[in-house]
Amino acid sequence: MSAMYGHADDDWLVRAHGDIDQWAAVMDVDADDRPIDWNWVRTLDLVHGVGVATVHDCDAGASSDVHDLLRRDLMIRDRLEAILTCCDRVFMTDYDRLIPSYRLPRALAHANRRLNDEINLLRDRGVAEGLWTVAYEHRERVTVPVLQAAEGAPAVDDIQDRTAELVNGRAERRKRAREQREAGDRLMVAANLEGAIAAGGAVGAPDAEGAAAASPIGSDWRDVYLPGRGLDTVMGIDIETTGTDPLRDYIIDVGFEYMNMVTPRPQDAPAGMSYVDSSYQAGDAYGQARLGFGVTRANAWHGNEAILNLTGIDVKMRSSSQWRLFDEWPQAQQGLLMRLEQQPFVAHNANFEHRFFLHNVAGYAESYRAGHIVIIDTMPMSRRWDEGSAPSETHPYGDNSLESYAKRQGALPEGSSERHLGLEDAHIMLVAMKHHLTTLREAHRGPWGPDGVPGTGGKRAKGRRW
């Protein structure tokens, strides 16, 4: 399948194989609690592709068995993603630094994206040959393709996509583990309180509700992304991708700009980048940039109507030589990383950008683990500090989309819509954030309230522990 891949400088992919022993020493099981066969990982050809099909196998009418090829590719993807799903946690909690580099997971993700392209083309071939039809169904946390065998064609049970089963099963196991930890924490708090009462002779005993209230459990995990009252210069960033999964999808558009939350806009700051919507005014923003990237030939051949309708970007037009793939462009990755390290970066639902950067940007995971990157998220600002996002029947957790937040903060007119382009969405996010922080400061709320924190705030890895 290498003919349908990009034009990678394959040296780093070759070197990634040399990292396997370091990962094998630390990581024993995958996301489904199965032992990892690292010898199998060693057999993977990360340069030319990990799938079993050739470029000709994806053509309708090819003599090969498309059913068998698809079945084998799906098995490889399930196995590979079960390993990749654990890599972030293992790397970030490797406090002894036995694994110095995140290169291997990036290389595996690079290969997995191209394997996913191959799977899509094999499905397309089956449709073209009249073997099955494909419909998309939302199943809890993910949307998956569901095959329906054509009349008289072989059954398709063994080539159904198992993503929903795997992802939802892992989420349920994490939920049960979290509940067990929380129950243990509550018992520990209760035991400590009972011991204090017995020793001090206090009257009365705490009930379960009192013990739970004394525990820190219950705070929203997104709160770590909230800004502090000392925040000033930030870089707002938004990415557009071919889907929501960094292990399968490509970054195709990046937009970023800078804004100071307190001090004036630098007089000598670069400007001049225009927005696609003439109603957008730069205002306090500066240093704007828009970067476009390509996809593999296989991804372009498959097409992506959903992304075309959402963003206006047609991936069918992005496989020519003028569009370089972000995950194969070291200079673009390093330029972005340098900017991400210089000041806090802001995104709306920032974990989305963070996950894509982990699996696409050389050095990002290492820099984040070392504490050099600070992430601020405007979504928890909306959830915590914006009364307009109150939960409703339609939005049980509040309406915290970027479009709704920007409209409530006066950054987007009521009759307008989020553009789903990197630079434009980064701009309305920063305008909304600055207006929101100004309002909160005047009211002595948010970062200036009793729960506010000094400094820039945001999420930062604690770095090495001893």
Side-chain angles (χ1 to χ4, degrees), residues 234-393:
V234 298
M235 184 181 85
I237 190 166
D238 183 83
I239 64 174
E240 301 301 328
T241 61
T242 58
T244 60
D245 190 338
L247 305 183
R248 299 182 184 181
D249 297 308
Y250 299 89
I251 295 175
I252 53 176
D253 184 71
V254 176
F256 61 82
E257 65 180 29
Y258 297 83
M259 188 176 291
N260 296 353
M261 296 292 112
V262 178
T263 59
R265 179 186 183 278
Q267 292 184 353
D268 59 346
M273 172 71 69
S274 60
Y275 304 100
V276 297
D277 190 328
S278 59
S279 67
Y280 285 29
Q281 299 299 315
D284 294 331
Y286 58 95
Q288 296 92 338
R290 185 197 309 277
L291 308 171
F293 302 101
V295 297
T296 60
R297 295 182 193 137
N299 193 278
W301 290 347
H302 176 65
N304 197 322
E305 286 295 317
I307 294 304
L308 175 60
N309 293 334
L310 181 67
T311 68
I313 298 173
D314 187 355
V315 299
K316 292 181 178 180
M317 309 299 293
R318 292 229 171 173
S319 66
S320 65
S321 58
Q322 76 177 97
W323 296 103
R324 293 191 64 175
L325 280 82
F326 183 68
D327 66 359
E328 296 181 355
W329 195 347
Q331 293 82 2
Q333 296 168 31
Q334 290 309 300
L336 180 59
L337 177 61
M338 179 183 67
R339 289 170 172 81
L340 294 173
E341 292 175 326
Q342 287 176 345
Q343 69 293 295
F345 82 80
V346 182
H348 195 80
N349 189 22
N351 194 47
F352 180 83
E353 277 77 9
H354 174 66
R355 291 171 61 237
F356 269 89
F357 293 159
L358 281 174
H359 294 98
N360 282 272
V361 179
Y364 176 87
E366 295 86 343
S367 183
Y368 176 78
R369 184 174 70 170
H372 300 320
I373 292 175
V374 179
I375 311 173
I376 291 172
D377 194 339
T378 49
M379 182 176 283
M381 288 182 62
S382 173
R383 290 170 59 93
R384 282 291 187 198
W385 298 333
D386 187 341
E387 291 81 358
S389 71
S392 64
E393 185 175 342

Side-chain angles (χ1 to χ4, degrees), residues 40-51:
W40 172 76
V41 178
R42 289 184 178 89
T43 68
L44 297 176
D45 186 346
L46 302 181
V47 176
H48 299 100
V50 299

